[in-house]
Amino acid sequence: MSKQAKRREFSMQARKEIRERDHNHCIFCQKGYHMEKATEYGLSLKSVMHYIPRSKNGLGIPQNGAIGCQYHHEMLDNGKDGYRKEMLKIFKTHLMEQYPDWDEKNLVYTKWGWVNG
């Protein structure tokens, strides 16, 4: 696995930190976000979601992740029913509340990232 691919994956430690920070609850379920089509099964499966996706070089760090249930994770990833933009706004707000110095620019892998700190 390349260095870049490793940096885009959440490590076990990052996953643990995110699960503890979010109390292993979906950030969208906590807000009751569009629950009308949710199934018990879809709500029961939890995973760590990227704010900036891996496909866009999003890093696997706690500042770029949150817990999502399968129902909301699929809704976010697939842009289902046109909710993606609104969901990203909720996701961003959640991360900003957790990390006062949060900055989107720090969530993307760059080969020369060490140059800027």
Side-chain angles (χ1 to χ4, degrees):
M1 185 182 292
S2 71
K3 182 177 179 181
Q4 180 181 359
K6 285 181 187 175
R7 298 279 315 273
R8 293 185 307 190
E9 284 295 323
F10 291 108
S11 68
M12 294 304 289
Q13 181 59 39
R15 289 174 187 278
K16 181 180 184 223
E17 189 176 321
I18 292 166
R19 288 186 189 285
E20 288 174 359
R21 183 198 67 209
D22 294 347
H23 307 288
N24 204 35
H25 294 297
C26 172
I27 64 170
F28 301 108
C29 287
Q30 288 181 43
K31 297 193 175 300
Y33 186 80
H34 288 285
M35 304 293 286
E36 57 276 356
K37 295 180 185 176
T39 64
E40 188 174 331
Y41 182 73
L43 295 174
S44 70
L45 299 174
K46 306 286 190 316
S47 62
V48 177
M49 308 177 290
H50 282 80
Y51 174 73
I52 305 284
R54 285 178 297 208
S55 62
K56 298 200 186 293
N57 289 326
L59 293 170
I61 57 175
Q63 296 83 351
N64 191 37
I67 297 297
C69 68
Q70 186 68 28
Y71 170 73
H72 284 111
H73 200 159
E74 286 181 13
M75 185 185 287
L76 177 67
D77 284 353
N78 299 327
K80 190 173 191 266
D81 301 324
Y83 297 133
R84 183 170 174 76
K85 186 175 181 180
E86 186 176 50
M87 291 178 84
L88 285 173
K89 186 175 179 181
I90 292 167
F91 202 157
K92 180 177 183 175
T93 299
H94 174 75
L95 293 170
M96 290 175 76
E97 288 170 352
Q98 305 303 313
Y99 305 99
D101 60 345
W102 187 87
D103 187 337
E104 246 176 89
K105 292 179 286 190
N106 298 329
L107 308 179
V108 179
Y109 174 85
T110 58
K111 186 174 181 179
W112 305 108
W114 56 270
V115 171
N116 296 324

